[in-house]
Amino acid sequence: MIMNFLKRVPAGMMVVPLLLGCVINTFFPEALQIGSLTTATFSSKAAATAMGIQLFCLGTTLQVKEMPQVLKRGGVLLMSKFLIGAVIGIFIGKVFGMDGILGLTTLAVISAVTNSNGSVYLALMQTYGDDTDSGSMALLALNDGPFFTMIALGLSGLANIPIEALIATVIPIIAGMVLGNIDKKVRDFFEPAGSVMIPFVGFALGAGIDLMNVIKGGLPGIALGLITIFIGGAFIILCDRLISKRPGYAAVAVSTTAGNAVAVPAAVALVDPSWAPYVGTATTQVAAAVVVSAILVPILTDRWAKRFGCPKMPLG
């Protein structure tokens, strides 16, 4: 009964645990902080570990001969996601300053639009895409955190770029890929675990979101989610269709805000303290964008795939 329900919900294996984690963290936060294995498995502290394991398992499925296609397809999604977020954010910052516009801070815009939820993307690709689509998460994982946000800010001279963050992000993927290419049995053993980790990642990311903060994000936060989906998504779809010659379902799936993006404003402020006064507001607005995009993007991806086709739902 539970599995049937999760399968009916687009990216349900990711979205439902994420929302459940949000609810528990909002109303019963102490339940996740009792310590030991419970906290290590189900609190927000588990997110990085769960994602690292997921990326390692995914890395074992990447074959060297498939990398050119993965780099091409995933690279278009990654760069278009980054470019649209950087352009929108830098434009707002240059024209309206750090305060942003209509209550929507510049820091929140760049943090939300440049970051995509890799776990939602992977869950959707396993439903609608092919192995190359799923393998592209290895690239898209690079924008699930502060790295590309800091690059965007760095283009404006507002932040330094931590090269170590890039290296730390790709090591699990590379380690998995090396082992998976050396021994096919390693790949066969770890491949199923990538899917198994999806609900754990979803719940842990949700456990780091307080729904009260989403409410505090208010209309600007909701607007930020819609900007990420519809303005950012439109540009990504355009690039995916024109450059990659793809139907666009993967572009829709990547038009989310990463759960980890909630921590990006604080990370940026550590590098550049001038952003510190905006961290609180930006964090609540990004949290709202995370929830809005996690709910709407799976629904939109499902409709887009059915209308324009995908590997598992071909037209005709």
Side-chain angles (χ1 to χ4, degrees):
M1 182 175 64
I2 294 176
M3 290 301 292
N4 288 337
F5 169 73
L6 292 176
K7 289 178 180 178
R8 286 197 300 269
V9 178
M13 200 64 70
M14 167 68 186
V15 174
V16 173
L18 184 145
L19 294 177
L20 181 60
C22 288
V23 171
I24 294 177
N25 183 59
T26 300
F27 299 103
F28 310 102
E30 64 281 355
L32 302 175
Q33 302 299 328
I34 62 175
S36 190
L37 297 179
T38 297
T39 299
T41 304
F42 296 110
S43 73
S44 59
K45 297 178 181 178
T49 299
M51 290 184 68
I53 294 173
Q54 185 181 48
L55 289 174
F56 173 85
C57 295
L58 180 62
T60 64
T61 69
L62 296 178
Q63 299 302 292
V64 172
K65 63 182 179 181
E66 298 172 355
M67 285 307 296
Q69 186 62 26
V70 169
L71 290 171
K72 178 183 177 182
R73 196 182 299 182
V76 170
L77 296 175
L78 177 69
M79 293 311 300
S80 58
K81 175 76 171 173
F82 166 70
L83 285 174
I84 189 62
V87 168
I88 294 174
I90 292 174
F91 172 79
I92 292 176
K94 291 295 185 180
V95 175
F96 302 100
M98 300 171 89
D99 290 331
I101 182 174
L102 299 177
L104 194 57
T105 66
T106 299
L107 181 57
V109 173
I110 297 180
S111 297
V113 185
T114 59
N115 282 267
S116 63
N117 194 319
S119 295
V120 168
Y121 171 83
L122 180 60
L124 288 168
M125 290 307 97
Q126 292 185 339
T127 301
Y128 305 103
D130 56 24
D131 290 342
T132 302
D133 289 318
S134 295
S136 296
M137 183 188 170
L139 282 178
L140 295 172
L142 298 178
N143 72 10
D144 195 346
F147 184 75
F148 276 96
T149 298
M150 290 186 179
I151 289 180
L153 290 170
L155 292 175
S156 303
L158 297 173
N160 295 319
I161 302 174
I163 300 301
E164 295 85 355
L166 174 61
I167 298 174
T169 298
V170 300
I171 285 177
I173 303 167
I174 294 175
M177 186 173 69
V178 169
L179 291 174
N181 278 271
I182 291 176
D183 189 342
K184 181 179 181 299
K185 292 182 179 180
V186 172
R187 180 171 75 250
D188 294 340
F189 178 79
F190 282 104
E191 183 176 6
S195 299
V196 171
M197 293 305 299
I198 289 176
F200 289 96
V201 173
F203 189 94
L205 291 176
I209 298 174
D210 188 328
L211 291 177
M212 294 301 104
N213 286 336
V214 176
I215 295 174
K216 291 177 183 177
L219 291 178
I222 295 173
L224 179 58
L226 298 178
I227 289 171
T228 301
I229 297 169
F230 294 104
I231 297 180
F235 180 75
I236 302 168
I237 291 170
L238 181 65
C239 292
D240 194 34
R241 292 178 72 93
L242 292 181
I243 300 175
S244 298
K245 307 300 182 183
R246 302 292 297 167
Y249 60 89
V252 181
V254 84
S255 303
T256 52
T257 295
N260 285 349
V262 175
V264 168
V268 171
L270 288 176
V271 176
D272 186 347
S274 66
W275 289 102
Y278 302 92
V279 169
T281 300
T283 298
T284 58
Q285 292 173 352
V286 172
V290 171
V291 175
V292 169
S293 64
I295 293 173
L296 292 182
V297 165
I299 297 172
L300 295 173
T301 302
D302 179 73
R303 293 184 177 181
W304 190 279
K306 289 177 179 176
R307 179 174 181 181
F308 296 101
C310 64
K312 295 181 180 176
M313 292 181 183
L315 294 175

